[in-house]
Amino acid sequence: MEGIWRLLQEYKKDVYLVGEVWSSERAIAPYLKYLDSCFNFKLAEGIIDAVIKGDSSKLQYNLPFIYDEYKNSYKDYVDAPFLTNHDMDRVMSKINDANKMKLAASILLTMPGNPFIYYGEEIGMKGEKPDEYIREPFKWGKEYVPGQTKWIDSEYNVGDYAPSVEEQDNDPKSLLNFYRDMIKFRLGNDILSKGDITIIETQPEILAYYRAINNDKLFIVHNLTGNLVNTELKLDQNDKLKGETLKGDGIVRIEDNKIKINLKPYSTVIIK
C-alpha cells in the first residue's frame, strides 16, 4: 500500500485516494495512513437502519467510536460517507418511502468528509441483487429519450415506478431537487464541508450533532419519525447561537441555555 501511495504521489502531489475496505472501523483505520479516505460502511448501514426504524440509538452510540478510531490512526483523514454502492441493494428498495429517502440524504449531506452518491439515488431508483439489477441504466426519461443508455432491460425502474430526471427536473418538491438544494447548501458552507462533528446525546427519535470549525458551530437536528417531535438540546456556556434557522422549517427557540425545537415528520433543521 505504501509503495502505491508513493508512486502515485510522484505523478501528482495532491492525489486524492479513496479505498474500499468493507470491514469495521478498527480494520479500516490503518489504511488511512496511505489513503485519504475509506468508504464508511458502518455509517452507511447506520443511517439506513436509523431511518427505517425511526431510532437513532445505535447511530448515536457508534459514531463517536468510528471517528475516534480514524483520528487515532491519522488525524488528517477525510471521511467518505455514502448510503449504498454498486454491490448493495439500492437504498430506495430498502427504505421505499420518498420522505425517508430525503431524510437519509439530509443526514448523509450534513456528515463530515466527501459524500459519495451512487448514481440513481438522487432520483430514487430501486434495485436488488443480483448485481445487474442494482446497476440498471440511469433513468433520464420515464420512457426512452435521446442519450438514454441501455445495457440491460430495467426490472425495477419501469412501469408504474419509473423515476427519472425528466419527471423530477421541474418539480420543486422532487427528490432530485432536494438533493440539488442540499448539495448547493453544503458547498456554500465551510463548516459542513470541512468542520468536525460532535454527536449530541438525545432521545432516539432524534439524531442531533453539531459541526464546528474552531468556535463557529452549526447545530443539525433530524426527526427520524413520522410524528411531530419536540426536543431540547442543552447548550454549552461558550455557545453563542443566534437561533437562526439556515435550513429546514422547524420552530426554534433559545431559552434557559437550551435550544427548544419543534420538528415536522422526517425533517431536518440546521441552526446557527
Side-chain angles (χ1 to χ4, degrees):
M1 180 63 72
E2 182 178 0
I4 295 172
W5 175 69
R6 294 193 184 283
L7 178 63
L8 290 170
Q9 281 208 321
E10 288 179 13
Y11 285 94
K12 186 172 174 57
K13 290 293 182 185
D14 59 348
V15 65
Y16 174 68
L17 299 175
V18 187
E20 181 176 335
V21 185
W22 199 327
S23 190
S24 68
E25 62 273 13
R26 184 159 294 177
I28 290 171
Y31 288 90
L32 295 172
K33 292 177 182 178
Y34 305 111
L35 297 171
D36 298 281
S37 301
C38 283
F39 290 114
N40 196 332
F41 284 91
K42 196 163 186 176
L43 173 59
E45 293 162 0
I47 292 173
I48 294 171
D49 182 70
V51 169
I52 290 173
K53 295 177 180 176
D55 186 331
S56 70
S57 302
K58 284 175 65 177
L59 200 53
Q60 287 188 50
Y61 178 82
N62 285 328
L63 280 179
F65 290 103
I66 295 172
Y67 293 127
D68 285 349
E69 193 72 44
Y70 290 171
K71 285 178 183 176
N72 289 338
S73 176
Y74 186 61
K75 66 181 180 66
D76 293 326
Y77 85 98
V78 179
D79 199 17
F82 72 108
L83 294 176
T84 57
N85 69 12
H86 62 286
D87 290 322
M88 304 161 73
D89 288 349
R90 283 188 172 272
V91 63
M92 188 54 123
S93 285
K94 298 178 180 182
I95 291 176
N96 201 31
D97 182 284
N99 289 323
K100 290 183 178 182
M101 187 67 197
K102 289 178 180 178
L103 176 62
S106 189
I107 297 172
L108 171 69
L109 294 170
T110 53
M111 285 284 159
N114 291 327
F116 285 76
I117 300 168
Y118 183 45
Y119 82 90
E121 284 180 353
E122 72 274 39
I123 58 173
M125 284 178 60
K126 293 182 177 180
E128 298 178 16
K129 293 278 193 176
D131 284 352
E132 54 266 35
Y133 293 121
I134 54 179
R135 304 172 186 175
E136 292 184 357
F138 183 75
K139 299 286 291 188
W140 290 102
K142 192 172 180 67
E143 304 297 337
Y144 179 82
V145 295
Q148 177 73 55
T149 55
K150 187 179 179 182
W151 58 82
I152 187 175
D153 289 330
S154 291
E155 178 77 15
Y156 285 89
N157 301 287
V158 290
D160 292 338
Y161 191 83
S164 67
V165 173
E166 181 181 51
E167 66 172 342
Q168 295 185 34
D169 203 17
N170 296 315
D171 177 2
K173 295 184 178 180
S174 70
L175 180 60
L176 175 61
N177 279 312
F178 183 86
Y179 264 92
R180 285 170 171 165
D181 186 52
M182 284 297 298
I183 291 169
K184 183 178 179 181
F185 181 76
R186 180 187 177 91
L187 290 174
N189 192 294
D190 281 349
I191 296 177
L192 282 183
S193 298
K194 303 172 185 175
D196 292 327
I197 185 171
T198 299
I199 306 301
I200 302 171
E201 189 174 336
T202 185
Q203 69 238 56
E205 299 91 343
I206 294 291
L207 177 63
Y209 40 91
Y210 66 81
R211 302 287 312 281
I213 297 178
N214 299 322
N215 292 324
D216 292 330
K217 291 182 179 180
L218 291 181
F219 281 76
I220 301 158
V221 188
H222 309 278
N223 178 1
L224 302 182
T225 75
N227 305 313
L228 181 70
V229 170
N230 301 320
T231 191
E232 292 185 357
L233 305 178
K234 190 175 181 181
L235 292 172
D236 188 279
Q237 288 185 344
N238 296 323
D239 291 333
K240 296 179 180 178
L241 284 185
K242 299 175 182 176
E244 179 185 350
T245 299
L246 300 183
K247 199 83 178 150
D249 53 4
I251 299 171
V252 179
R253 304 182 308 282
I254 297 181
E255 299 174 7
D256 303 322
N257 210 39
K258 293 178 181 177
I259 312 176
K260 298 184 178 183
I261 308 170
N262 297 67
L263 270 178
K264 293 181 179 180
Y266 306 121
S267 68
T268 297
V269 66
I270 301 176
I271 308 158
K272 183 177 181 179

